[in-house]
Amino acid sequence: MQGYSLNKRILVTGGAGFLGSHLCERLLAEGSEVLCVDNFFTGTRRNIEHLIGNPRFELLRHDVTFPLYVEVDEIYNLACPASPVHYQFDPVQTTKTSVMGAINMLGLAKRTKAKIFQASTSEVYGDPSVHPQPESYWGNVNPIGPRACYDEGKRCAETLFFDYHRQHDLRIKVIRIFNTYGPRMHPGDGRVVSNFIVQALKGEDITIYGDGNQTRSFCYVDDLVEGMIRMMASPDDVTGPVNLGNAGEFRISELAEAVLRLTGSNSKLIRLPLPQDDPKQRKPDTTIAERHLDWAPEVGLEEGLKRTIAYFQSVDLGAR
Ligand code: NAD
Ligand code: UDP
Ligand code: UDP
């Protein structure tokens, strides 16, 4: 395993977002220099304001669909809206961000010989017919549906990563992230964990889409960031794709009940229509992460929800 030397220069795209801000924090704590690039589409300055002032931290407002010329040793490419509400708001920009963003960051990696990491997603498996999902499963994605801008954008980004690896010998690291939650999720971003917690804390109805029997596996952010760091530090022949996620699988109705219990809220559960192409089930096969990264998540759903609830209790939810 390669260790982290002092003053490694690391670019984090999407660094002002939910996952990116935790990653920047962790990289700074390890002694690296961090260049955080973000266009603030879904990320906010608030997520990283505690890092501003650290002499090893630099913030650049920039859209990754445009070229970027900087000198770095490693690149974590996270720029892309992640919640269905946000990525469907401007779907053309979502595809551009994934595809043109990947081309620009891969071009940058090629020129600087930087190692480059891609935050891909379990959405590449679409509405999966294989359960749980191993990396070898090619997926079941509707290429023309409302989720396609995200799913196909991320699939094309993976293609680009592997072609730059084969054609230009780039050192690549591709992970597929399964639903991850925690402090600094945007309260209005529409994802299920943030929606349910915010609704419970505000005494609003809890919105269950469909019958609530669809499943997801929820990973706490600290576990995910640990997996990201291990992936970047792994030997060059570990290119991925590697699934990172918590294998605990819950029905959405179970999540709603857990949130009600842990917040002590009296909110009512209501049913709303299931969005088109909403995957019915999702659970990672994490055998490869265990074997190659010696990684396994440590924070269970109950503990992770408690920490996330504490965060949402500390922010102004009126602003969402
Ligand atoms: P997020 O929306 O909080 O973060 C995305 C960040 O990218 C934001 O700060 C946003 O402003 C920035 N961004 C968007 N378009 C950009 C552009 N064109 N140029 C520069 N910056 C841009 O979401 P997140 O949950 O932190 O997700 C981070 C990454 O992880 C994304 O690539 C997402 O696809 C991936 N991912 C997340 C999850 C999850 O459950 N959280 C699951 C699978 C994959
Ligand atoms: N690029 C960039 N920063 C760099 C080098 C390249 O943003 O430091 C962009 C550049 O805009 C280019 C893309 O990355 O379009 C792909 O670069 P590559 O060298 O692979 O392709 P080419 O320049 O030959 O089209
Ligand atoms: N969901 C829900 N109520 C909400 C938000 C989401 O029932 O208020 C459901 C959604 O239909 C999906 C699951 O929760 O089945 C996870 O949704 P999310 O948007 O968090 O992520 P996805 O995994 O679908 O990208």
Side-chain angles (χ1 to χ4, degrees):
M1 293 257 257
Q2 265 182 308
Y4 272 83
S5 60
L6 279 179
N7 294 330
K8 189 174 285 191
R9 297 162 306 173
I10 304 184
L11 166 62
V12 179
T13 75
F18 160 51
L19 295 179
S21 64
H22 287 274
L23 179 64
C24 288
E25 201 172 83
R26 171 76 187 262
L27 293 169
L28 286 169
E30 295 190 349
S32 301
E33 286 180 22
V34 175
L35 171 58
C36 168
V37 163
D38 207 295
N39 70 349
F40 299 117
F41 175 51
T42 53
T44 70
R45 226 168 255 281
R46 206 171 49 245
N47 285 342
I48 38 143
E49 69 189 358
H50 59 297
L51 306 177
I52 295 171
N54 183 324
R56 285 182 283 106
F57 183 73
E58 196 179 345
L59 174 62
L60 176 66
R61 178 192 284 263
H62 173 80
D63 182 328
V64 294
T65 62
F66 296 98
L68 176 67
Y69 286 81
V70 291
E71 306 309 313
V72 289
D73 302 307
E74 291 180 355
I75 303 166
Y76 285 86
N77 187 36
L78 274 64
C80 186
S83 106
V85 173
H86 283 151
Y87 69 64
Q88 291 172 26
F89 174 76
D90 185 349
V92 172
Q93 173 68 11
T94 299
T95 303
K96 282 186 187 170
T97 294
S98 275
V99 176
M100 293 164 68
I103 291 173
N104 287 328
M105 291 309 107
L106 287 160
L108 172 62
K110 186 176 131 199
R111 183 180 60 76
T112 58
K113 302 194 172 18
K115 188 154 48 162
I116 181 164
F117 171 107
Q118 169 68 358
S120 191
T121 170
S122 55
E123 290 285 335
V124 301
Y125 302 122
D127 188 5
S129 47
V130 170
H131 193 72
Q133 294 80 55
E135 290 83 349
S136 54
Y137 175 51
W138 291 354
N140 177 31
V141 172
N142 174 358
I144 56 168
R147 297 175 83 100
C149 58
Y150 184 73
D151 301 9
E152 297 291 15
K154 289 285 189 178
R155 287 170 67 97
C156 183
E158 287 199 11
T159 307
L160 285 161
F161 268 70
F162 278 85
D163 280 334
Y164 269 81
H165 171 63
R166 283 185 288 255
Q167 199 174 328
H168 298 300
D169 242 0
L170 250 61
R171 291 174 298 157
I172 60 160
K173 304 282 175 189
V174 178
I175 62 159
R176 292 180 177 156
I177 305 170
F178 284 65
N179 299 63
T180 299
Y181 68 99
R184 298 199 204 119
M185 291 185 89
H186 193 294
D189 91 355
R191 282 184 272 191
V192 69
V193 174
S194 44
N195 263 13
F196 285 3
I197 293 177
V198 170
Q199 289 162 347
L201 293 178
K202 294 181 86 176
E204 295 171 355
D205 293 341
I206 308 268
T207 53
I208 295 186
Y209 301 160
D211 61 12
N213 285 328
Q214 70 272 36
T215 68
R216 292 293 186 275
S217 302
F218 299 102
C219 184
Y220 188 67
V221 59
D222 291 359
D223 283 333
L224 186 84
V225 169
E226 177 65 32
M228 293 168 110
I229 298 279
R230 285 183 189 225
M231 181 66 181
M232 190 60 118
S234 64
D236 286 349
D237 62 344
V238 181
T239 58
V242 176
N243 288 339
L244 290 183
N246 191 315
E249 185 184 7
F250 296 88
R251 289 194 303 276
I252 295 306
S253 56
E254 290 178 286
L255 176 73
E257 269 146 32
V259 169
L260 280 181
R261 181 166 48 80
L262 295 170
T263 53
S265 168
N266 295 321
S267 288
K268 288 201 314 285
L269 303 182
I270 59 160
R271 296 277 155 84
L272 294 180
L274 188 67
Q276 188 190 330
D277 297 338
D278 198 278
K280 285 180 277 306
Q281 54 182 0
R282 185 180 291 154
K283 170 183 161 141
D285 178 332
T286 51
T287 313
I288 291 186
E290 284 155 33
R291 191 175 305 148
H292 291 292
L293 309 180
D294 190 25
W295 176 86
E298 290 176 355
V299 181
L301 185 61
E302 176 133 349
E303 175 58 26
L305 285 178
K306 282 186 190 159
R307 295 187 202 174
T308 311
I309 289 166
Y311 166 76
F312 281 111
Q313 280 168 332
S314 75
V315 298
D316 176 11
L317 296 179
R320 80 185 175 119

